[in-house]
């Protein structure tokens, strides 16, 4: 597993990718047996690309010697699955490591975030959290160790993934157009098996149609300096998510038995008896929000339009909650006041590193001991749980697992 859990394409719907990354297919025949069919498809697709405006030179440059990456079908079929409760999902993403690294990322890029807030209107916490979850704040080791050339992946999917073929063909055309515009090269375009790339994991369609040259270097790129990626992601939240300037995403509240309904003003919610969990008054009483209770007995929230703007980036409610909560934590906010039923507190960075070290010493490879929990660490935890009979064997590395490791297994 990569050192950031965000790089699990089967769980993430990146910037309009939606259900495409969640689809599973039967594995096609081996590449060697299917190669003549791929050759035929490649020649057929050449005509479509030329009709789309791709030059013969660009097509030949990218596609003539390309071999399809057949491993994408194993990725589709064999993505490791872990059942996470809501509190576990939040704890893994709003981790001590991400909060600490997010503060440092803000320190290094404060002027950029100030500019984006002025130009686009998206506050820094949300963008920092998206950046942290999607690429560990642009960690080059993620790009180096866990990304692959996207053209072989997209070509394989466009050729042999039957149920979403039109989608993958469209993304392959978008990727070809990016090369033709001179914004990138086939060699630079490395990403997930599904084709998401860069700091905030753009699909080619988003790169092409939402990306902007925010650093003024003459091209649009999600790689390198984070300016284009973060500026364009802010633009995405505004244009496709309808993000509202100067509104907070929402608040943890006490509903006091008030039932959820449609959108009402904070003023109206307050008149019905809903209060902020911290006891502070709502700062914009005329703004509107919806009441959401993820789990009975757990924290309750009033969610404004900007929460749903984040959800436009990924349709998961838990994902959006993790993003906005991480953003608040990076900017100095505290944990939720009301705990989720049966939850544990999140491990500190030092505790996660200890967990990883003890697992590795016990023969369960976590893929590193840097305090970042991803699929490798979760698999190691689950294997350890199965070995010692700890139930449920859910792969969650929390206080109970750490205590058992400290006891020597």
């Amino acid at each position: 597993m990569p050192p950031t859990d965000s790089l699990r394409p089967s769980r993430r719907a990146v910037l309009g990718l939606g259900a495409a990354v969640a689809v599973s297919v039967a594995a096609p025949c081996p590449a060697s047996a299917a190669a003549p069919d791929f050759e035929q498809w490649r020649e057929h697709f050449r005509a479509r690309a030329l009709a789309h405006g791709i030059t013969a030179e660009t097509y030949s440059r990218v596609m003539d010697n390309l071999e399809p990456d057949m491993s994408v079908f194993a990725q589709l079929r064999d993505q490791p699955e872990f059942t996470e409760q809501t509190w576990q999902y939040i704890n893994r993403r709003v981790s001590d490591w991400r909060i600490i690294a997010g503060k440092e990322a803000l320190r290094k890029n404060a002027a950029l975030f100030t500019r984006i807030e002025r130009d686009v209107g998206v506050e820094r916490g949300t963008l920092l959290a998206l950046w942290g979850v999607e690429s560990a704040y642009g960690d080059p080791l993620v790009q180096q160790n866990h990304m692959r050339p996207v053209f072989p992946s997209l070509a394989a999917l466009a050729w042999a993934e039957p149920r979403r073929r039109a989608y993958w063909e469209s993304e392959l055309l978008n990727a070809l157009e990016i090369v033709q515009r001179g914004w990138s090269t086939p060699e630079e375009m490395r990403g997930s098996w599904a084709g998401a790339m860069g700091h905030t994991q753009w699909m080619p369609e988003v790169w092409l149609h939402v990306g902007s040259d925010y650093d003024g270097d003459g091209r649009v790129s999600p790689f390198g300096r984070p300016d284009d990626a973060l500026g364009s992601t802010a633009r995405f939240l505004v244009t496709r998510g309808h993000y509202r300037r100067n509104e907070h995403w929402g608040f943890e509240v006490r509903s006091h038995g008030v039932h959820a309904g449609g959108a009402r003003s904070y003023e109206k919610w307050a008149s019905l008896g809903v209060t902020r969990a911290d006891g502070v008054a709502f700062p914009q009483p005329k703004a509107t929000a919806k009441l959401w209770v993820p789990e009975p007995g757990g924290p309750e929230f009033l969610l404004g339009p900007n929460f749903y703007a984040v959800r436009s980036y990924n349709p998961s409610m838990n994902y959006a909650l993790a993003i906005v909560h991480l953003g608040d934590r990076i900017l100095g906010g505290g944990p939720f006041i009301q705990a989720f039923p049966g939850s544990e507190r999140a491990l500190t960075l030092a505790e996660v590193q200890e967990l990883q070290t003890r697992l590795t010493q016990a023969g369960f490879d976590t893929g590193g001991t840097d305090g970042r929990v991803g699929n490798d660490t979760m698999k190691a935890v689950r294997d350890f749980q199965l070995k010692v009979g700890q139930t449920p064997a859910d792969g969650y590395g929390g206080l109970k697992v750490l205590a058992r490791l400290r006891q020597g297994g």
Side-chain angles (χ1 to χ4, degrees):
M1 169 61 197
T4 171
D5 53 70
S6 68
L7 301 174
R8 295 183 62 198
S10 68
R11 288 295 193 193
R12 190 186 67 249
V14 182
L15 291 177
L17 180 57
V21 296
V23 69
S24 62
V25 298
C29 51
S32 59
D37 290 334
F38 179 75
E39 295 290 342
Q40 183 179 18
W41 172 86
R42 176 162 50 193
E43 288 309 306
H44 175 78
F45 196 71
R46 180 189 299 271
R48 180 173 174 187
L50 295 181
H52 184 76
I54 303 301
T55 66
E57 180 183 8
T58 297
Y59 193 85
S60 293
R61 173 189 176 189
V62 176
M63 300 290 292
D64 275 3
N65 297 312
L66 180 146
E67 294 294 333
D69 183 352
M70 303 305 292
S71 69
V72 297
F73 298 100
Q75 295 280 349
L76 282 165
R77 185 181 65 248
D78 297 329
Q79 280 293 304
E81 293 297 332
F82 301 96
T83 301
E84 292 183 304
Q85 299 181 60
T86 302
W87 64 269
Q88 294 172 325
Y89 184 98
I90 300 296
N91 280 359
R92 281 213 307 122
R93 289 154 183 84
V94 189
S95 65
D96 208 19
W97 181 87
R98 279 208 181 91
I99 294 168
I100 294 168
K103 292 178 186 293
E104 179 63 14
L106 175 58
R107 186 190 67 79
K108 291 180 178 178
N109 297 277
L112 172 60
F113 285 107
T114 297
R115 180 185 169 208
I116 292 172
E117 287 174 334
R118 182 192 69 230
D119 293 348
V120 189
V122 177
E123 60 87 26
R124 60 191 62 193
T126 297
L127 289 175
L128 279 161
L130 284 168
W131 191 17
V133 167
E134 294 299 339
S135 72
Y137 307 102
D139 185 346
L141 291 177
V142 171
Q143 180 71 17
Q144 174 184 324
N145 296 333
H146 304 290
M147 296 296 158
R148 66 180 72 199
V150 301
F151 277 106
S153 299
L154 290 175
L157 291 162
W159 160 52
E161 202 289 280
R163 288 180 290 177
R164 296 280 298 182
R165 184 170 296 154
Y167 172 82
W168 298 115
E169 287 178 347
S170 176
E171 287 292 27
L172 179 55
L173 290 171
N174 290 330
L176 286 165
E177 187 167 343
I178 288 166
V179 173
Q180 184 158 295
R181 290 189 182 189
W183 289 355
S184 191
T185 66
E187 295 74 26
E188 182 187 41
M189 292 171 71
R190 296 173 57 86
S192 74
W193 61 263
M197 293 170 275
H199 289 281
T200 48
Q201 292 289 275
W202 291 354
M203 290 300 292
E205 184 274 331
V206 173
W207 188 345
L208 195 62
H209 297 118
V210 183
S212 61
D213 179 16
Y214 202 63
D215 62 5
D217 69 352
R219 69 182 191 132
V220 178
S221 176
F223 303 111
R225 292 173 55 184
D227 302 46
D228 288 2
L230 296 175
S232 301
T233 297
R235 181 183 170 204
F236 178 97
L237 293 174
V238 171
T239 59
R240 297 194 180 183
H242 309 293
Y243 188 99
R244 297 186 183 184
R245 183 186 291 264
N246 297 326
E247 278 193 27
H248 197 52
W249 63 266
F251 303 93
E252 184 185 353
V253 298
R254 307 286 195 194
S255 70
H256 303 292
V258 175
H259 295 295
R264 298 185 175 105
S265 69
Y266 287 106
E267 185 176 58
K268 178 63 175 177
W269 285 115
S271 73
L272 295 172
V274 178
T275 60
R276 280 180 56 171
D278 59 9
V280 178
F282 295 113
Q284 295 175 303
K286 300 298 183 182
T288 60
K290 298 178 182 179
L291 180 63
W292 179 47
V293 182
E295 295 179 12
E300 305 168 319
F301 304 94
L302 283 180
L303 306 177
N306 288 350
F307 178 92
Y308 293 96
V310 172
R311 191 168 176 250
S312 73
Y313 202 86
N314 179 317
S316 163
M317 290 289 285
N318 286 345
Y319 176 93
L321 183 60
I323 293 297
V324 296
H325 186 46
L326 175 58
D328 285 351
R329 296 295 307 277
I330 292 170
L331 299 182
F336 294 137
I337 294 171
Q338 175 65 39
F340 282 96
S343 64
E344 301 175 4
R345 69 163 175 82
L347 297 183
T348 66
L349 176 61
E351 287 171 334
V352 174
Q353 291 173 318
E354 180 188 350
L355 176 97
Q356 292 172 324
T357 299
R358 289 181 180 274
L359 283 168
T360 301
Q361 291 172 345
F364 302 95
D365 184 14
T366 62
T369 58
D370 58 4
R372 293 186 278 185
V373 176
N375 274 1
D376 286 343
T377 295
M378 292 181 73
K379 183 179 183 303
V381 169
R382 184 174 61 186
D383 290 345
F384 172 76
Q385 290 170 323
L386 289 170
K387 179 182 178 181
V388 301
Q390 189 175 56
T391 58
D394 55 10
Y396 179 73
L399 291 169
K400 294 177 182 178
V401 172
L402 181 57
R404 186 63 181 266
L405 283 164
R406 285 171 173 171
Q407 295 169 5

